[in-house]
């Protein structure tokens, strides 16, 4: 089945105030280059994803080339590449012993571990394929997306107040009508959002990958180990992967700016997977999502197509040093999944 979607531009209520006509024309060109007609979007069913492992047969065979009941090959980075780059999500189980750090390290007890720098113990990480060899090194680096996110003295102060249009946790809790118990932080780095939510007795899964691209080169970063050392639940999954969660089960899905590199068609697929796992009355929380000025209307139109109720919505220029103000835009919003879900599809959706 293929769905044709007519984008309701009237729902983009900020563009007339912030975006000149030339920018909107460019946005339509972007939409047209991705989808054909700028106002009618036809999405082909991405069947290639179901056969992504077949397309990486040589890499998969290399992954399965091991001696059973012995130590697993030291191919941690290659196996991540299969998942992260080549979309081979369901890697086969191997009958070999996982490699471990050189010595056993006892984790700090919960909840003291949430924001204690002492909880991040170097001995709990295999540093072989990481550029840094300690958490102190990670805190000293100032490159990549996760700058200083291993520094707990900084992370403990996040989400405590309204900042640049971004909501505090207390504001979100007060806006929600129903209970807030379980959720997902998509691309949550070192797990700090889940750590703050734990203080409100909310259990969050945090998705991340132990890899980051810096200046065109991939390097390892111990996100998974850090999340676990803090007493939280790491979920090793890229944004492209269908979440291993059942339908209509989560109260909140939160995402900071980790999805900014996704192509638009994958961004929409991600939106609908989040919709699948969110319960009716649950909230989708975008925080500091940014995109180029001419592309933001397209992303907003895709988000609006979900038909969610706006509890909070704020768009502002991204104030980057060395960059023309307004070249990129920030989007902060809190959206509630409507009830009943069966009547939530916006006008213009026609199943064929």
């Amino acid at each position: 089945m293929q769905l044709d979607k007519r984008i309701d531009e009237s729902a983009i209520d900020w563009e007339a105030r912030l975006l000149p006509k030339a920018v909107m024309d460019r946005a339509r060109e972007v939409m047209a280059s991705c989808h054909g007609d700028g106002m009618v979007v036809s999405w082909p069913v991405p069947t290639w994803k179901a056969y992504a492992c077949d397309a990486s047969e040589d890499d998969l065979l290399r992954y399965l080339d091991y001696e059973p009941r012995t130590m697993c090959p030291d191919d941690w980075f290659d196996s991540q590449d299969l998942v992260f780059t080549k979309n081979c999500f369901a890697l086969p189980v191997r009958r070999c012993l996982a490699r471990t750090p050189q010595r056993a390290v006892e984790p700090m007890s919960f909840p003291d571990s949430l924001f204690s720098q002492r909880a991040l113990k170097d001995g709990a990480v295999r540093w072989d394929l990481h550029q840094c060899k300690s958490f102190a090194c990670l805190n000293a680096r100032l490159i990549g997306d996760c700058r200083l996110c291993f520094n707990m003295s900084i992370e403990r102060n996040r989400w405590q107040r309204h900042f640049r249009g971004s909501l505090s946790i207390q504001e979100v809790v007060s806006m929600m009508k129903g209970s807030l118990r379980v959720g997902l932080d998509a691309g949550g780095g070192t797990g700090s959002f889940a750590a703050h939510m734990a203080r409100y007795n909310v259990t969050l899964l945090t998705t991340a990958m132990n890899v980051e691209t810096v200046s065109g080169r991939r390097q390892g970063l111990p996100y998974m180990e850090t999340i676990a050392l803090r007493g939280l639940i790491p979920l090793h999954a890229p944004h492209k992967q269908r979440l291993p969660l059942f339908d209509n089960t989560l109260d909140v899905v939160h995402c900071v700016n980790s999805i900014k590199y996704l192509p638009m068609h994958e961004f929409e697929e991600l939106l609908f997977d989040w919709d699948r796992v969110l319960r009716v009355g649950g909230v989708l929380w975008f925080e500091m999502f940014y995109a180029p000025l001419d592309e933001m209307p397209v992303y907003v139109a895709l988000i609006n197509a979900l038909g969610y109720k706006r509890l909070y919505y704020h768009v502002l220029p991204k104030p980057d040093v060395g960059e023309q103000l307004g070249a990129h835009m920030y989007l902060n919003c809190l959206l509630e999944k409507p009830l009943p879900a069966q009547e939530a599809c916006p006008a213009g959706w026609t199943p064929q």
Side-chain angles (χ1 to χ4, degrees), residues 212-279:
E212 183 177 79
T213 301
V214 178
S215 301
R217 297 180 58 188
R218 287 193 183 88
Q219 64 181 44
L221 285 174
Y223 289 129
M224 294 286 101
E225 296 94 329
T226 302
I227 295 168
L229 284 170
R230 300 175 74 177
L232 303 167
I233 308 172
L235 188 60
H236 190 245
H239 289 313
K240 301 176 185 179
Q241 180 178 345
R242 185 180 190 270
L243 289 168
L245 304 171
F246 200 69
D247 302 0
N248 307 302
T249 52
L250 301 185
D251 301 316
V252 59
V253 172
H254 171 265
C255 184
V256 189
N257 61 11
S258 62
I259 57 176
K260 60 184 179 294
Y261 300 118
L262 285 180
M264 289 181 187
H265 67 281
E266 291 183 356
F267 175 78
E268 188 183 46
E269 292 169 4
L270 180 64
L271 287 178
F272 279 97
D273 200 36
W274 288 345
D275 173 77
R276 178 183 63 82
V277 299
L278 265 178
R279 66 169 176 83

Side-chain angles (χ1 to χ4, degrees), residues 55-334:
S56 305
E57 182 178 356
D58 291 342
D59 297 304
L60 192 59
L61 289 175
R62 188 159 45 250
Y63 171 79
L64 292 172
D65 184 15
Y66 68 98
E67 187 68 30
R69 303 181 185 87
T70 61
M71 193 65 66
C72 290
D74 195 3
D75 57 0
W76 166 85
F77 205 84
D78 293 334
S79 62
Q80 277 212 136
D81 191 54
L82 266 170
V83 174
F84 185 68
T85 307
K86 299 175 181 176
N87 304 310
C88 184
F89 302 132
L91 289 180
V93 175
R94 297 193 295 192
R95 292 176 297 145
C96 57
L97 299 172
R99 293 178 177 267
T100 65
Q102 294 298 315
R103 57 190 177 87
V105 174
E106 185 65 25
M108 182 178 289
S109 60
F110 187 89
D112 297 337
S113 58
L114 288 175
F115 292 102
S116 171
Q117 197 67 45
R118 292 185 296 108
L120 306 188
K121 302 178 180 180
D122 293 340
V125 178
R126 288 189 59 219
W127 297 98
D128 311 45
L129 295 174
H130 297 296
Q131 185 175 355
C132 279
K133 306 301 179 184
S134 69
F135 283 106
C137 170
L138 291 173
N139 282 330
R141 74 184 200 119
L142 294 174
I143 57 174
D145 290 334
C146 198
R147 302 178 186 183
L148 300 177
C149 65
F150 294 90
N151 188 325
M152 295 299 104
S153 62
I154 293 177
E155 293 296 284
R156 73 169 63 249
N157 295 317
R158 298 179 66 187
W159 296 286
Q160 301 304 300
R161 61 187 179 89
H162 197 101
F163 178 70
R164 286 183 182 174
S166 182
L167 295 169
S168 68
I169 291 178
Q170 185 58 50
E171 287 175 309
V172 172
V173 171
S174 65
M175 289 181 189
M176 285 196 66
K177 297 177 182 178
S179 57
L180 188 56
R181 309 152 302 140
V182 291
L184 173 77
D185 186 21
T190 57
S192 291
F193 182 74
H196 281 287
M197 294 300 280
R199 291 175 164 177
Y200 290 83
N201 295 319
V202 180
T203 301
L204 255 66
L205 297 168
T206 302
T207 66
M209 296 288 292
N210 266 25
V211 65
E212 183 177 79
T213 301
V214 178
S215 301
R217 297 180 58 188
R218 287 193 183 88
Q219 64 181 44
L221 285 174
Y223 289 129
M224 294 286 101
E225 296 94 329
T226 302
I227 295 168
L229 284 170
R230 300 175 74 177
L232 303 167
I233 308 172
L235 188 60
H236 190 245
H239 289 313
K240 301 176 185 179
Q241 180 178 345
R242 185 180 190 270
L243 289 168
L245 304 171
F246 200 69
D247 302 0
N248 307 302
T249 52
L250 301 185
D251 301 316
V252 59
V253 172
H254 171 265
C255 184
V256 189
N257 61 11
S258 62
I259 57 176
K260 60 184 179 294
Y261 300 118
L262 285 180
M264 289 181 187
H265 67 281
E266 291 183 356
F267 175 78
E268 188 183 46
E269 292 169 4
L270 180 64
L271 287 178
F272 279 97
D273 200 36
W274 288 345
D275 173 77
R276 178 183 63 82
V277 299
L278 265 178
R279 66 169 176 83
V280 172
V283 294
L284 178 57
W285 182 359
F286 279 101
E287 184 181 358
M288 293 297 186
F289 169 68
Y290 70 85
L293 179 65
D294 58 352
E295 294 182 10
M296 182 61 86
V298 182
Y299 285 108
V300 169
L302 295 175
I303 294 170
N304 288 344
L306 291 174
Y308 282 21
K309 177 183 177 181
R310 293 183 183 181
L311 302 180
Y312 176 81
Y313 200 86
H314 189 260
V315 180
L316 72 161
K318 182 175 182 287
D320 268 2
V321 176
E323 183 181 277
Q324 182 181 356
L325 183 64
H328 287 75
M329 304 296 290
Y330 272 136
L331 170 65
N332 294 288
C333 61
L334 187 69

Side-chain angles (χ1 to χ4, degrees), residues 3-15:
L3 295 178
D4 285 348
K5 171 164 69 358
R6 297 187 180 278
I7 300 298
D8 180 11
E9 284 193 285
S10 65
I12 311 176
D13 59 3
W14 53 271
E15 73 215 21

